[in-house]
Amino acid sequence: DESQEMGNPDHEPTDDEIEKVSQAKMAASEALGNGDFETAIVQYSVAIKLMPSALAYANRANAYLQLKRPNAAIKDCDAAIAINPDSAKAYKMRGKAYRMLGKWEAAAKDLGVGQRIDFDDSLYDLQKFVEGKAKATAER
Protein backbone atom coordinates (compact mmCIF):
# COMPACT_ATOMS: atom_id res chain seq x y z
CA ASP A 1 0.00 0.00 0.00
CA GLU A 2 1.95 2.99 -1.32
CA SER A 3 -0.18 5.51 0.61
CA GLN A 4 0.76 3.93 3.94
CA GLU A 5 2.65 6.54 5.99
CA MET A 6 5.71 5.10 7.69
CA GLY A 7 7.65 7.05 10.31
CA ASN A 8 11.33 7.86 10.61
CA PRO A 9 12.57 6.31 13.86
CA ASP A 10 15.54 8.74 13.92
CA HIS A 11 13.30 11.85 13.97
CA GLU A 12 13.47 13.80 17.25
CA PRO A 13 9.98 15.29 17.78
CA THR A 14 9.56 18.84 19.04
CA ASP A 15 7.31 19.64 22.02
CA ASP A 16 4.66 20.81 19.54
CA GLU A 17 4.89 17.54 17.60
CA ILE A 18 4.65 15.52 20.82
CA GLU A 19 1.40 17.37 21.61
CA LYS A 20 0.10 16.67 18.06
CA VAL A 21 0.98 12.99 18.48
CA SER A 22 -0.90 12.82 21.78
CA GLN A 23 -3.99 14.43 20.23
CA ALA A 24 -3.78 12.18 17.15
CA LYS A 25 -3.53 9.03 19.29
CA MET A 26 -6.56 10.06 21.36
CA ALA A 27 -8.58 10.82 18.21
CA ALA A 28 -7.46 7.51 16.65
CA SER A 29 -8.39 5.52 19.74
CA GLU A 30 -11.82 7.17 19.86
CA ALA A 31 -12.38 6.54 16.13
CA LEU A 32 -11.33 2.89 16.53
CA GLY A 33 -13.77 2.50 19.42
CA ASN A 34 -16.55 4.00 17.30
CA GLY A 35 -15.84 1.68 14.36
CA ASP A 36 -14.51 4.53 12.18
CA PHE A 37 -11.46 2.64 10.99
CA GLU A 38 -10.54 5.03 8.14
CA THR A 39 -10.31 7.97 10.59
CA ALA A 40 -8.34 5.81 13.02
CA ILE A 41 -5.82 5.02 10.25
CA VAL A 42 -5.48 8.71 9.34
CA GLN A 43 -4.92 9.71 12.98
CA TYR A 44 -2.49 6.87 13.74
CA SER A 45 -0.62 7.87 10.54
CA VAL A 46 -0.19 11.41 11.92
CA ALA A 47 1.27 9.94 15.13
CA ILE A 48 3.50 7.49 13.25
CA LYS A 49 4.89 10.16 10.92
CA LEU A 50 5.91 12.42 13.82
CA MET A 51 6.83 9.83 16.45
CA PRO A 52 6.73 6.18 15.33
CA SER A 53 6.13 3.63 18.07
CA ALA A 54 5.47 -0.10 18.12
CA LEU A 55 2.08 0.45 19.76
CA ALA A 56 0.95 3.05 17.20
CA TYR A 57 1.91 0.71 14.34
CA ALA A 58 0.15 -2.24 16.01
CA ASN A 59 -2.98 -0.18 16.63
CA ARG A 60 -3.05 1.04 13.02
CA ALA A 61 -2.58 -2.59 11.94
CA ASN A 62 -5.71 -3.43 13.94
CA ALA A 63 -7.65 -0.76 12.02
CA TYR A 64 -6.33 -2.13 8.70
CA LEU A 65 -7.49 -5.62 9.72
CA GLN A 66 -10.98 -4.29 10.45
CA LEU A 67 -11.03 -3.00 6.85
CA LYS A 68 -9.82 -6.39 5.52
CA ARG A 69 -6.42 -5.00 4.47
CA PRO A 70 -4.09 -7.71 5.80
CA ASN A 71 -1.05 -6.75 3.71
CA ALA A 72 -1.07 -3.20 5.11
CA ALA A 73 -1.46 -4.67 8.60
CA ILE A 74 1.54 -6.96 8.07
CA LYS A 75 3.67 -4.01 6.92
CA ASP A 76 2.76 -2.11 10.12
CA CYS A 77 3.40 -5.14 12.32
CA ASP A 78 6.82 -5.65 10.72
CA ALA A 79 7.63 -2.00 11.54
CA ALA A 80 6.33 -2.43 15.11
CA ILE A 81 8.44 -5.56 15.69
CA ALA A 82 11.53 -3.80 14.28
CA ILE A 83 11.05 -1.11 16.95
CA ASN A 84 10.06 -3.52 19.75
CA PRO A 85 10.77 -7.24 19.21
CA ASP A 86 8.61 -8.00 22.29
CA SER A 87 5.46 -6.31 20.96
CA ALA A 88 2.85 -8.97 21.71
CA LYS A 89 0.13 -6.91 20.04
CA ALA A 90 2.12 -6.68 16.79
CA TYR A 91 2.64 -10.46 16.67
CA LYS A 92 -1.06 -11.07 17.40
CA MET A 93 -2.21 -8.59 14.73
CA ARG A 94 0.24 -10.03 12.19
CA GLY A 95 -0.97 -13.54 13.05
CA LYS A 96 -4.55 -12.44 12.37
CA ALA A 97 -3.44 -10.86 9.07
CA TYR A 98 -1.70 -14.06 7.97
CA ARG A 99 -4.87 -15.96 8.87
CA MET A 100 -6.87 -13.70 6.52
CA LEU A 101 -4.40 -14.56 3.76
CA GLY A 102 -4.60 -18.29 4.49
CA LYS A 103 -0.92 -18.39 5.52
CA TRP A 104 -1.62 -20.83 8.34
CA GLU A 105 1.93 -21.67 9.42
CA ALA A 106 2.96 -18.00 9.63
CA ALA A 107 -0.28 -17.21 11.45
CA ALA A 108 0.27 -20.01 13.98
CA LYS A 109 3.87 -18.94 14.57
CA ASP A 110 3.00 -15.26 15.17
CA LEU A 111 -0.04 -15.99 17.34
CA GLY A 112 2.10 -18.38 19.38
CA VAL A 113 4.84 -15.78 19.91
CA GLY A 114 2.28 -13.11 20.82
CA GLN A 115 0.56 -15.44 23.29
CA ARG A 116 3.90 -16.39 24.91
CA ILE A 117 4.75 -12.71 25.42
CA ASP A 118 1.29 -11.77 26.71
CA PHE A 119 -1.38 -14.48 26.96
CA ASP A 120 -4.90 -13.44 25.94
CA ASP A 121 -7.80 -15.83 26.67
CA SER A 122 -9.86 -14.31 23.85
CA LEU A 123 -7.29 -15.50 21.27
CA TYR A 124 -7.04 -19.07 22.57
CA ASP A 125 -9.70 -20.53 20.24
CA LEU A 126 -8.31 -18.65 17.21
CA GLN A 127 -4.81 -19.86 18.02
CA LYS A 128 -5.97 -23.51 18.26
CA PHE A 129 -7.93 -23.17 14.98
CA VAL A 130 -4.93 -21.71 13.13
CA GLU A 131 -2.57 -24.32 14.60
CA GLY A 132 -4.92 -27.06 13.34
CA LYS A 133 -4.97 -25.55 9.84
CA ALA A 134 -1.17 -25.19 9.87
CA LYS A 135 -0.75 -28.82 10.92
CA ALA A 136 -3.15 -30.02 8.21
CA THR A 137 -1.29 -27.91 5.61
CA ALA A 138 2.09 -29.29 6.72
CA GLU A 139 0.84 -32.89 6.50
CA ARG A 140 -0.24 -32.55 2.87
Side-chain angles (χ1 to χ4, degrees):
D1 191 333
E2 293 81 38
S3 65
Q4 194 170 344
E5 186 75 56
M6 304 304 276
N8 175 359
D10 299 325
H11 174 71
E12 285 293 325
T14 64
D15 288 346
D16 185 47
E17 288 174 335
I18 290 170
E19 180 62 29
K20 282 182 186 164
V21 167
S22 178
Q23 290 171 355
K25 284 181 179 178
M26 282 194 297
S29 182
E30 186 176 325
L32 201 58
N34 292 333
D36 184 357
F37 306 117
E38 292 287 353
T39 298
I41 288 167
V42 168
Q43 292 301 318
Y44 280 125
S45 296
V46 169
I48 286 166
K49 183 176 182 182
L50 296 174
M51 207 166 94
S53 73
L55 188 57
Y57 277 119
N59 284 334
R60 187 173 70 174
N62 185 25
Y64 279 128
L65 286 177
Q66 301 303 320
L67 294 172
K68 308 284 187 265
R69 293 175 61 192
N71 290 313
I74 290 167
K75 185 176 177 182
D76 274 0
C77 291
D78 290 346
I81 292 164
I83 292 169
N84 177 6
D86 293 324
S87 175
K89 185 167 189 169
Y91 282 106
K92 292 171 186 177
M93 292 297 119
R94 192 168 73 178
K96 288 179 179 182
Y98 282 135
R99 176 197 178 206
M100 279 184 182
L101 295 171
K103 295 183 176 181
W104 304 110
E105 290 174 19
K109 180 174 180 261
D110 278 354
L111 288 170
V113 171
Q115 289 286 69
R116 278 192 297 282
I117 294 169
D118 181 29
F119 187 79
D120 179 351
D121 280 339
S122 70
L123 285 179
Y124 182 79
D125 289 340
L126 173 64
Q127 183 183 9
K128 291 298 161 203
F129 171 78
V130 166
E131 286 171 354
K133 288 283 199 179
K135 189 174 183 215
T137 301
E139 289 171 353
R140 275 196 230 146

